[in-house]
C-alpha cells in the first residue's frame, strides 16, 4: 500500500479520533491488553507506515505488499491481524505488520521532510540524497523510503513513464533537468494518485503500470524485474530509451 492510500485511510478513520478503544484483538503476537481503554489521540502516516497515536504509545501498521483494511465491516472468512473497536465503529486490518512504539513523540522517530505527501516535504534534500548515490538505478532510487517516503511500485512506473526515463538509467546519467523532473513528479504523481483513488478511477489513469502496449507509440511494453530491488517495471524502450554516460 503506497503513501497516498494511507492519507485516504487517515481521512476514513477521522471519526474515531478522540474515542476510547472499547475492544481490541486479532491474531497479532503484540500484547494488546494494555491498549484497551486508551483514547485514539490522532492519526499520522509516514510513507508506508500508518500510525495510531494513543495515550502513551503508538500502534504502527505496515500493510506490506498485500495488506488491507476495512471499516465497520469484517471480511468474511478472514481473521484480522488487528481490530480496534470504538463506540462508533470498528477498524479491521489484514495481512499487515503490527508494532507498538513506546511514547508519542513521532518527531523523534520520523523525518517528515522525506514524505512526499507531507507539507514538510523537501525536494532539495531529496535531490541531494540522489546525487550521493550516482551508481543507483532510478528504479531503485524512487523506492528508497528515506528519500521518497510513500512512493511504491505503481508510482515508480508511472513517474518514469511521465518523464520518459528508462528504469535502469543510473542517477549519474540523468541530465540535471531530468533529475529535477524525477523529484518533482514523485510528489506530483503521488497527489494525482490520491485524487484518482478517492474518485475510484486510479487504474483508468495508468499509462504504464500493468499495461501491454505504449499509449504514446503503440510499441509493446517491456515487463521486467529491474534493479537490486527486483521490483516489476513496465516501460517502453522507444519512449524511454536507456541512456549511458560515455565514461
Amino acid at each position: 500500500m503506497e503513501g497516498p492510500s494511507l492519507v485516504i485511510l487517515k481521512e476514513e478513520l477521522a471519526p474515531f479520533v478522540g474515542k476510547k478503544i472499547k475492544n481490541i484483538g486479532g491474531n497479532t503476537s503484540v500484547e494488546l491488553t494494555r491498549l484497551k481503554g486508551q483514547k485514539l489521540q490522532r492519526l499520522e502516516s509516514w510513507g508506508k507506515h500508518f500510525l495510531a497515536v494513543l495515550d502513551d504509545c503508538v500502534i504502527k501498521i505496515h500493510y506490506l505488499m498485500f495488506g488491507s483494511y476495512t471499516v465497520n465491516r469484517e471480511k468474511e472468512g478472514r481473521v484480522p491481524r488487528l481490530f480496534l473497536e470504538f463506540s462508533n465503529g470498528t477498524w479491521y486490518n489484514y495481512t499487515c505488520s503490527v508494532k507498538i512504539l513506546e511514547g508519542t513523540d513521532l518527531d523523534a522517530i520520523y523525518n517528515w521532510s522525506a514524505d512526499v505527501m507531507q507539507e514538510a516535504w523537501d525536494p532539495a534534500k531529496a535531490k541531494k540524497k540522489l546525487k550521493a548515490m550516482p551508481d543507483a538505478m532510478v528504479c531503485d532510487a524512487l523506492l528508497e523510503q528515506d528519500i521518497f517516503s510513500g512512493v511504491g511500485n505503481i508510482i515508480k512506473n508511472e513517474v518514469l513513464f511521465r518523464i520518459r526515463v528508462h528504469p535502469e538509467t543510473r542517477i549519474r546519467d540523468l541530465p540535471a533537468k531530468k533529475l529535477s523532473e524525477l523529484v518533482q513528479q514523485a510528489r506530483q504523481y503521488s497527489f494525482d494518485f490520491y485524487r484518482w483513488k478517492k474518485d475510484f478511477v486510479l487504474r483508468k489513469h495508468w499509462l504504464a503500470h500493468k499495461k501491454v502496449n505504449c499509449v504514446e507509440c503503440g510499441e509493446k511494453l517491456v515487463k521486467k524485474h529491474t534493479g537490486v530491488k527486483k521490483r516489476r517495471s513496465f516501460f517502453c524502450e522507444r519512449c524511454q530509451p536507456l541512456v549511458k554516460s560515455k565514461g
Side-chain angles (χ1 to χ4, degrees):
M1 194 175 294
E2 307 194 25
S5 297
L6 297 191
V7 175
I8 293 171
L9 173 57
K10 181 180 175 181
E11 295 171 353
E12 287 187 58
L13 298 180
F16 298 152
V17 174
K19 304 294 185 181
K20 289 185 176 181
I21 299 173
K22 289 180 58 179
N23 193 22
I24 188 169
N27 63 7
T28 177
S29 59
V30 170
E31 175 54 50
L32 300 175
T33 306
R34 60 174 280 204
L35 306 181
K36 188 175 180 180
Q38 291 205 37
K39 183 183 291 187
L40 179 59
Q41 300 289 350
R42 69 183 195 276
L43 298 163
E44 302 287 354
S45 66
W46 181 87
K48 300 179 182 182
H49 295 183
F50 195 76
L51 307 158
V53 182
L54 306 182
D55 295 333
D56 62 11
C57 62
V58 177
I59 301 174
K60 182 180 82 171
I61 297 176
H62 193 313
Y63 288 98
L64 309 171
M65 292 283 288
F66 303 108
S68 62
Y69 68 87
T70 55
V71 180
N72 296 331
R73 63 175 182 83
E74 194 169 359
K75 290 188 176 183
E76 188 175 350
R78 296 280 302 279
V79 177
R81 179 61 48 83
L82 174 72
F83 71 84
L84 288 87
E85 181 185 352
F86 303 91
S87 60
N88 58 340
T90 306
W91 169 30
Y92 300 94
N93 297 278
Y94 301 88
T95 319
C96 60
S97 165
V98 179
K99 293 183 179 179
I100 303 297
L101 306 179
E102 296 299 334
T104 61
D105 184 8
L106 294 177
D107 291 344
I109 302 172
Y110 291 101
N111 175 15
W112 305 107
S113 68
D115 187 318
V116 295
M117 298 296 292
Q118 296 282 345
E119 285 187 16
W121 157 254
D122 191 332
K125 286 183 179 179
K127 192 177 294 187
K128 184 177 180 180
K129 290 176 182 178
L130 288 171
K131 289 179 178 179
M133 48 191 295
D135 294 331
M137 292 182 182
V138 292
C139 59
D140 288 326
L142 271 170
L143 297 177
E144 285 294 331
Q145 295 302 293
D146 66 332
I147 304 177
F148 299 109
S149 176
V151 170
N153 210 46
I154 295 172
I155 297 174
K156 177 204 79 178
N157 286 325
E158 292 298 310
V159 165
L160 292 177
F161 185 78
R162 268 191 180 187
I163 67 174
R164 302 296 191 262
V165 169
H166 193 288
E168 294 175 318
T169 303
R170 304 281 178 180
I171 294 296
R172 65 171 181 263
D173 297 329
L174 275 179
K177 182 181 178 181
K178 288 295 181 183
L179 185 68
S180 295
E181 288 179 1
L182 180 76
V183 172
Q184 189 269 334
Q185 284 299 325
R187 178 173 170 86
Q188 180 60 55
Y189 190 86
S190 294
F191 278 93
D192 290 341
F193 182 119
Y194 163 81
R195 185 178 74 256
W196 292 330
K197 186 161 187 178
K198 284 194 70 172
D199 292 339
F200 304 100
V201 294
L202 176 62
R203 289 175 179 264
K204 293 180 180 179
H205 288 274
W206 287 352
L207 300 180
H209 188 71
K210 291 189 175 181
K211 292 294 185 179
V212 176
N213 296 101
C214 178
V215 297
E216 196 68 31
C217 71
E219 287 290 308
K220 187 173 182 179
L221 293 182
V222 175
K223 181 175 73 173
K224 180 181 179 182
H225 290 84
T226 58
V228 297
K229 297 182 186 299
K230 298 299 181 186
R231 298 294 303 279
R232 282 196 308 172
S233 291
F234 296 82
F235 58 97
C236 175
E237 289 185 307
R238 175 181 289 178
C239 297
Q240 298 166 262
L242 179 59
V243 178
K244 293 184 178 181
S245 60
K246 295 180 181 180

